[in-house]
Amino acid sequence: MYISNYRRRSEAVFLVFFILLLLCIGRLLFIQFFRSNYLTSIANKQHNQLVELEPKRGAIYDSNLKAQAFNMSMDSLYAVPNGIKNKETVINLLLPILGVERSYLTNRLNRDKAFIWLARKIPSEKAEAIKRLSIKGLQFIKETKRIYPNSYLASHIIGFSGMDNTGLEGAERDYNKFLKGESGWAIFLRDARQNKLDIWEKMVLPVDGLDLVLTVDEVIQYIAERELDKVFKDYHAKGASIIVMDPHTGRILALANRPSYDLNDRSGVSMDTLRNRAICDLFEPGSVFKIVTASAALQEKKVTEEDIFDCENGAYQVGGRILHDHKPHARLTFRQVIEESSNIGTVKVAQLLGPDTLYRYLTTFGFGSKLGIDLSGEISGMISPVRSWSKSSITSIPMGQGVGVTALQLVSAISVIANGGQLMKPYIIDSVRNNHGEIVKKNKPVLIRKVISLDTALRIRKILTGAVEEGTGKLAKVSGFSAAGKTGTAQKIEANGTYSHDKFIASFIGFAPAEDPLLAIVVTVDEPHPSYFGGVVAAPVFQKVAGDAIRYLKGNAVPLEA
């Protein structure tokens, strides 16, 4: 009896354990076949860390390979919120170092995540202070920060990139596909305390970005910005632009605008300040536009330099309006008409040409269409076809009214006179190179079209030299060098469509040395006051920039103090 009961109890216990064993086996089989992927992923998250390997963004250099933008390695702080126990203590320790709001840290550290950024690309002293705290759950990753060593210099050319090293403005944005490179990745092992080990399981190396070489010369850019800044401040202007170009090739040696901004600190910078006025602002050019009428008249053999024009003592009724000169003139030769910037004389020359011929030269000089500079934002300007002209158009367009141009178009047009009659495509990117200095892409001078003959260009060059020596551009005279150019003073249009009597654009276009031009320059100043004449406001900027830049190009020392 006793043995029988013992046997039954033994069998019952065995059956229970056998059932438990079957359940365990079933559970193991279930985990193996249905939960393995899930559990493996958890294990991988605990013991493996996927890290993106950032490529080195390419540098930007000036034409002499002086760095204008490059990347510097910095520490970025991240947290593993699940691995931080006393979060309030951690927040209190980090607050005085990071200098952020408590709510910011509280929000991020209370997220149910295995990775969260706390601060990116922080100064080395802050990173060292945090490392000394030895807080479990805080880790650092090396990232690179874009550095612009010259601050404001060439800001509208270079532009800037964002936190993730993606270009957002200027050449940084337009050539981002070359500069950025391709990211890599690596899977690093972690220990039981979630600390990253310097042991990687898999890795794909990043591909570094390519370098960008500009046509801009850092020294000439500095000279141009220094003088532009002075005129902008001295005349309380709304805006200003300058472009310095090699007239023979179309290479942009300097381009600047005011207002400007610090590439390293863009906080509070408005869209108006970011705008590259030199290529995207439309304005009526005023008397600088007379170079087109003068060139067309000589090319078409409608006039000679010594032909006489009656300038009506400063008042001429034509096309239903009375045309005035800035000061009365009686009889002037064609040469003097341009040198003295007579509106009446210029209109009489244009009447000899006729609307169709004048329009043809306007477009041949590049007005009314994009020139194709290798920066985004260029506009085409505004030149109405002849069928849209009114009876008074032939009296206003020759002297720069009723048309819209850009500073880039003006410097390209004066370059036609300087280089012997050719319209060159302006460009600002010299080349793209790899980190071994090998050229991947190279830009070369491109001829858009032949505009006027060499003979006509040389004759206009002499007239424009006279405009500087004896005419309205006397303040553009360059000490030690000859110069040629044309002044312009254009009334701005009010909201009601009428011409303003107190808002002007002062401008000067020219080249130097006159007999063998090295530089073509345009200077525009928007709403200067109290003075607003191009010969007073813009011409001295040309004089100083041309003089210092030519001396620099010829190997002479140039003072660069502000």
Side-chain angles (χ1 to χ4, degrees):
M1 182 70 178
Y2 173 78
I3 295 174
S4 178
N5 289 337
Y6 175 78
R7 184 178 296 165
R8 283 197 295 271
R9 284 197 297 268
S10 299
E11 290 174 350
V13 171
F14 175 78
L15 182 61
V16 169
F17 277 101
F18 183 72
I19 293 172
L20 289 174
L21 178 61
L22 290 177
L23 290 175
C24 289
I25 293 172
R27 179 63 177 170
L28 288 174
L29 291 174
F30 174 77
I31 291 172
Q32 179 67 32
F33 291 104
F34 298 101
R35 300 282 286 172
S36 60
N37 292 337
Y38 171 72
L39 296 174
T40 300
S41 67
I42 293 177
N44 287 336
K45 288 180 181 178
Q46 291 174 342
H47 298 290
N48 298 329
Q49 181 179 11
L50 177 64
V51 176
E52 182 179 356
L53 302 179
E54 183 183 44
K56 178 184 176 184
R57 186 172 178 84
I60 298 178
Y61 297 98
D62 84 332
S63 59
N64 297 309
L65 299 183
K66 295 178 181 177
Q68 308 300 307
F70 58 88
N71 278 31
M72 180 179 290
S73 181
M74 303 188 78
D75 283 309
S76 289
L77 175 66
Y78 73 92
V80 183
N82 297 334
I84 299 176
K85 293 182 179 179
N86 196 334
K87 295 179 180 178
E88 281 302 316
T89 301
V90 173
I91 290 171
N92 291 331
L93 291 171
L94 292 178
L95 276 176
I97 300 175
L98 295 179
V100 296
E101 296 290 334
R102 175 179 288 273
S103 58
Y104 170 81
L105 290 178
T106 301
N107 175 270
R108 299 187 85 75
L109 289 179
N110 283 306
R111 295 184 185 181
D112 185 20
K113 289 191 174 183
F115 180 100
I116 194 77
W117 286 117
L118 293 185
R120 298 182 68 182
K121 304 178 184 181
I122 60 179
S124 58
E125 60 272 14
K126 290 187 177 183
E128 290 302 319
I130 295 171
K131 288 175 183 178
R132 285 194 294 269
L133 296 174
S134 299
I135 299 173
K136 181 183 177 182
L138 297 185
Q139 297 288 339
F140 287 91
I141 290 178
K142 286 290 184 182
E143 291 193 292
T144 57
K145 182 179 181 180
R146 200 66 162 167
I147 302 296
Y148 301 95
N150 293 320
S151 183
Y152 288 82
L153 199 72
S155 58
H156 290 95
I157 300 171
I158 298 168
F160 54 85
S161 60
M163 183 64 73
D164 62 351
N165 277 330
T166 297
L168 300 176
E169 280 292 333
E172 290 272 33
R173 176 190 60 204
D174 296 343
Y175 292 86
N176 186 66
K177 66 179 181 179
F178 295 107
L179 291 164
K180 188 173 177 61
E182 298 178 10
S183 298
W185 55 269
I187 297 177
F188 286 91
L189 300 180
R190 293 193 291 193
D191 62 18
R193 294 183 177 183
Q194 302 297 294
N195 295 318
K196 187 177 76 172
L197 304 176
D198 290 329
I199 303 173
W200 53 270
E201 192 174 68
K202 295 180 181 179
M203 178 181 289
V204 174
L205 292 174
V207 178
D208 290 340
L210 301 172
D211 296 332
L212 202 62
V213 180
L214 305 175
T215 61
V216 171
D217 186 300
E218 180 185 84
V219 175
I220 297 176
Q221 181 73 28
Y222 173 82
I223 294 168
E225 295 216 29
R226 179 190 66 192
E227 298 306 317
L228 191 69
D229 204 53
K230 287 179 182 178
V231 74
F232 176 68
K233 293 175 179 176
D234 290 348
Y235 287 94
H236 315 286
K238 181 179 179 181
S241 296
I242 186 169
I243 303 175
V244 182
M245 178 189 283
D246 178 344
H248 302 284
T249 63
R251 289 172 64 91
I252 302 293
L253 304 179
L255 182 153
N257 301 286
R258 288 296 182 274
S260 187
Y261 63 98
D262 184 349
L263 290 170
N264 293 306
D265 182 11
R266 302 179 297 276
S267 55
V269 176
S270 67
M271 292 303 296
D272 181 66
T273 301
L274 291 176
R275 192 172 77 250
N276 192 343
R277 296 167 181 264
I279 66 174
C280 71
D281 269 20
L282 183 74
F283 59 93
E284 290 194 351
S287 292
V288 294
F289 213 54
K290 291 172 183 175
I291 65 167
V292 179
T293 305
S295 298
L298 287 178
Q299 183 71 22
E300 295 294 318
K301 297 181 172 52
K302 297 293 183 180
V303 297
T304 66
E305 287 83 341
E306 304 308 320
D307 285 354
I308 302 295
F309 290 86
D310 183 1
C311 293
E312 311 288 346
N313 291 314
Y316 177 46
Q317 186 168 353
V318 58
R321 61 184 293 204
I322 297 178
L323 193 62
H324 296 279
D325 278 338
H326 68 284
K327 67 178 182 179
H329 298 289
R331 292 166 63 83
L332 297 176
T333 65
F334 171 71
R335 180 191 305 276
Q336 292 171 324
V337 165
I338 304 303
E339 290 177 353
E340 298 297 331
S341 198
S342 168
N343 293 333
I344 294 171
T346 301
V347 167
K348 288 190 173 185
V349 172
Q351 288 174 322
L352 295 175
L353 286 167
D356 290 321
T357 302
L358 179 60
Y359 176 78
R360 175 162 53 85
Y361 277 91
L362 293 177
T363 55
T364 305
F365 263 90
F367 297 105
S369 61
K370 294 180 181 180
L371 294 167
I373 189 172
D374 41 3
L375 277 179
S376 62
E378 182 192 2
I379 63 171
S380 59
M382 184 189 71
I383 302 291
S384 299
V386 174
R387 64 178 180 274
S388 301
W389 289 19
S390 66
K391 291 182 179 180
S392 63
S393 293
I394 193 65
T395 68
S396 58
I397 290 176
M399 59 181 190
Q401 290 184 342
V403 295
V405 305
T406 67
L408 182 66
Q409 290 174 334
L410 288 177
V411 76
S412 296
I414 196 65
S415 293
V416 170
I417 310 300
N419 67 30
Q422 301 180 117
L423 181 64
M424 303 301 296
K425 179 181 178 180
Y427 66 104
I428 206 160
I429 305 299
D430 174 82
S431 58
V432 178
R433 307 185 183 196
N434 62 25
N435 53 16
H436 300 296
E438 298 167 338
I439 295 176
V440 176
K441 179 182 178 183
K442 175 74 174 178
N443 284 334
K444 296 180 180 179
V446 174
L447 172 65
I448 297 177
R449 69 180 71 91
K450 183 75 174 176
V451 179
I452 54 177
S453 67
L454 175 60
D455 176 68
T456 298
L458 293 174
R459 292 164 71 185
I460 292 293
R461 185 185 298 181
K462 288 182 181 179
I463 293 173
L464 295 182
T465 302
V468 171
E469 295 294 330
E470 305 293 338
T472 58
K474 291 177 181 177
L475 293 181
K477 287 183 182 179
V478 181
S479 176
F481 306 101
S482 59
K486 184 73 189 72
T487 59
T489 307
Q491 293 172 280
K492 294 184 72 174
I493 299 177
E494 298 282 12
N496 60 8
T498 62
Y499 281 101
S500 174
H501 294 289
D502 58 5
K503 295 178 182 177
F504 298 86
I505 291 181
S507 58
F508 187 89
I509 55 174
F511 51 88
E515 66 280 0
D516 185 19
L518 290 175
L519 305 171
I521 301 173
V522 59
V523 181
T524 65
V525 185
D526 187 5
E527 294 187 23
H529 59 276
S531 182
Y532 55 82
F533 291 107
V536 175
V537 176
V541 179
F542 170 90
Q543 179 266 332
K544 188 64 175 174
V545 173
D548 282 357
I550 291 172
R551 280 186 280 273
Y552 160 72
L553 291 174
K554 288 182 176 289
N556 298 321
V558 177
L560 295 180
E561 68 273 5

